[in-house]
Amino acid sequence: MKKRFLALGLAVLSAAALSLAQGGRTTVTFWYALGGSIGEQIELLVKNYNSSQDKVTIKAEFSGNYDDTLNKMRAALQAGKGYPNVVQVYDIGTRFMVDSGAVVALEDMAKKENFDISKLVSQPRNYYTVDGKMYSLPFNSSNPLLYFNANALNSSKVEQRPFYNLAQLEDTIKRLTVKDASGKTTRYGITFHADSWFIEQFGYNSGQAYCNNENGRKARATETTFNNPASVAFLEMMARLTAGGFAAPVGRDGTASLNTFVNGQAAIYVSSTANLFGATRAVGGKFPIRTSFYPFLKERNGVAIGGASLWMLKGFTETEQDGAFSFIKWMLDPATQGRWHLNTGYFPVIQGVTKTPLVQSGHSKNQNFITAIRQLETSKVNTVSAGCLMGQFTEIRTYVVSAWEEVLKGKPAKQALDEAKVKSDAALQRYNATVAR
Amino acid sequence: MNKILARVLFYIGISLYAALLVLPLLTMLSVSFRSDGDVYNPSFFPPNPTLEPYQIALEKFPVLRFLGNSFLVSSLVTLGVMLISSCTGYALARINSPVSNFIFALVIGLLLVPGEVTFLPLYIMINRLGWIDSYLALTLPFIASPIGIFLMRQFFKSLPQELFDAARMDGAGHLRMLWHIAMPLATPALGALAALTFLGTWNMYLYPLVVTNSEELRTAQIALRFISSDEAVRYNIVAAAAVIILLPTLVAFLFAQRAFVRGIAMGSLKG
Amino acid sequence: MERVLPSSAKQKRILWKPRPDWLEMLILLVPAVLLLSAFVILPTIEAFIMSFQREGLLGRNRVFAGLENFIEVFSRPENLQSAWQSIYFALIVAPLEIILAFAAALLISRPFVGVAIYRTLFFLTTAVPTGVAAIAWSWFLNPQTGWANWILASLGLEPKQWLLDTSTALPTLAVITAWAGVGFAAILLTAGLQQIPEDLYEASRIDGANGIQQFWSITIPLISPTLFLVTLLVFLRSLTAFGQIHLLTQGGPADSSMVWIYRIYQEAFFNFRQTYAAAQSVILFLVLLILALLQFRFIGRKVHYE
């Protein structure tokens, strides 16, 4: 008799415990790849989400920069354990993520949860749509801008244009450069650090794809096409400007570039709109910042979005996946998008957010936040501005940046790009062979 | 008169040389005491010395945690190495058998395998075992150290046979002899080995880099990389962090210079 | 040195049967053997196996691929570049480090007032971890504000971009590496110098030899084995120098400091090509093995020398 009661008691207790556990919060692991001030904003978002409801706890972890995060995730996937539920992967990692077979397509989750993804702005949505299906959530989408030191514009009596073709940009840079009596540059016209992304965007904006098969969107990319006239003209200009003391010698260093701008040593700074908030803060009251669209060769096509997106990985329980998706849904909430936009510079990916009062008042305080949005709105929507989708993108970028540096050292631009193309194509072929295996 | 001149010149020369060698460290020290505004001020001494960078470094980054991790890992490995090296070295030195000869030859062979070659497959193995981000991964692979085993074996071999014969007659087994006779005599060798191992583990970079992900387990060396990329332009903070990370080994070195020197000499010249 | 066993052992002699030798040997040897097999031998074998394989995405589906990886390694020109960069790097580090260390060791080889202070200063870099050395030098070499350029300017020379310029990045890294190792090499050379018997110098002084003659006829010949050994050691170590490159240049600018070991890291962790990187590791291993055998041969000869 006693034994039976004991057993019953235990059963009741364990059932109660079980239901308590299920009634408790689901933990969802989230790896993000942005440090510094943007990282702080992400942590803030997570904190707000966690306190806004009692079903899901997002456990956020800064897993290093984009490359490091991708590496760690890859290693964890290879080991079969230790990978997060939600992970932030940069734009160029898209092909790899889809090929890995380790992700849950967002569109599938959206269908299941009756979430209407047509609310998303088309360009970011298109970027992350592969073979007709949207795979990840465009979380922090950006595009490149020209940042101007307004005081420099005034002192050099240069008018700021809303957008520039390459010839106009070169002319403006030269006019903004200040040299002393001995010919030494005291203020550079521009600080433009070497980053493949800038070449990609310049190509897209000039109507040139970066890889074949229509930027890898109509079929898998098998060849790179960055050795096009736009890239050549661009690099030739950079070589001229750097040799002539018009462009600051910052190499690949984005932080040095920002610093040069903040210290007033360069009149124009080129960067993602994501740095708008941080740059404005760093500049403080030194000078007003103005922004323009990213340049193009002759005729403006439109830029692709940059930044990163959030992916959901397979291998978690349904509760966890639902929890992860509810976090993503919350991120897409207009209020959240508005705050995120104003606190970083990334533009909202949900339609209509720009019309909300919060965002409107933010824009009236700092017009620069509108520039990226306007640039996106006025970009043509085609496979070129959809951005290149290809594997081994990280490695290929290193070849392109090396080419940039070689051109600065004197190598002819076409030659450098052609050589980089050979290496890149080999890498791409190797990747495609690996996927087939 | 000549002698005094020679002396003076000698002192000037050697002081200059020593100063030159230490110069980079001095500049790091100098910038670590500057406020954000003074960082780019071209002067030897910080114009307005402040502890602000140190404060910020300690507040923003868990530097003490990083140091703690390095210390924990280095200590664990050092203890492990001393233990395993003594046991194995003793067995190889004093127990004659074809097995021990084979193993000793193996150990000598393994001396030739540098860590950097095995880091990739070792990392893959650690990954598969699920030990990524664990103290286990940072310590266990290094406890059996070929150099440690070699050194202790050489040392124990050099001990007079009579010592052990006497103990044998008293009925002592090898474990007894190791613990009561060999080890107490090995203190200087063990001390040197400890210093060598501690320093070597403290300085490890590549392997801990690939085997740890989370900030909690980060060791001091890798932490510097993260701090310097996070605070790229605020050199004063990065320098402050670097100075803090330098202090333990510096202090340890100053106090135990003897042991370090002996350890390094023994470890590298193998005798 | 005699040591008396505690009397309890004497009493116990009759009471317990001593463990057989082989059991004790087992207890003493098994841990090391297991650990070495698992963490040194196995990975080395695995590296070799992997080098003959090709992998699928995410490292899955490894298949035997014969010499494909090695063919790729030797057919891609950048690997040749990396090999050359590693050798070039080591060829700067080794002589520089030895010269600096030898000078230091000589300076403190004779006792004088304050020698202990200078000895500590010269040995100091052993206490400076790679990361800290890198940070210190990156500031020292800052093109705008570092003291290096300030010194150059005061000598009337052009400032250099040091780590930011493709032509100076690798040599600069080499100088930093040499600097960081001076303490280490100085310790070894001091030990070597100490082993030269004092009477030789005494005898030669009686014979009327001055300092310089003593240096060339006694010091140099007797320190040469140690010098050679240490140089080889430093050369070997510099072929696997990683930390400072990772912290300061990440193989750049424009791959000008992409030494072999860094390329392995890059291929494995950024290009996701583990089997290919394994092949590169194997090649590195063979090179280091040959050099280490050389070193070993030399120690053997040196020992017999004495």
Side-chain angles (χ1 to χ4, degrees), chain B residues 10 14, chain C residues 101-112 115 118-119 122-123 186 189-194 196 198 201 215 219 223:
Chain B
F10 175 74
I14 196 175
Chain C
F102 193 41
L106 284 173
L107 284 170
I108 53 171
S109 57
R110 294 251 161 277
F112 57 86
V115 66
Y118 288 106
R119 191 185 311 133
F122 285 140
F123 290 176
L189 290 173
T190 305
L193 282 174
Q194 279 170 349
I196 301 178
E198 191 54 38
Y201 290 107
F215 180 72
T219 316
I223 195 75

Side-chain angles (χ1 to χ4, degrees), chain A residues 20 25 36 101 113 129 132 182 250 275 306 365 370 383 395 423:
Chain A
L20 254 176
R25 305 174 73 117
E113 305 272 332
T129 301
S182 68
V250 286
N275 286 326
K365 291 203 197 89
I370 307 180
T383 49
E395 182 178 351
K423 289 191 224 167

Side-chain angles (χ1 to χ4, degrees), chain C residues 2 14 34 38 56 66 112 134 137 143 146 190 203 222 255 270 274 299 303:
Chain C
E2 306 255 278
I14 309 164
L34 281 178
F112 57 86
W137 276 86
T190 305
L222 289 180
D255 286 3
F270 281 89
Q274 290 176 336
I299 301 178
V303 170

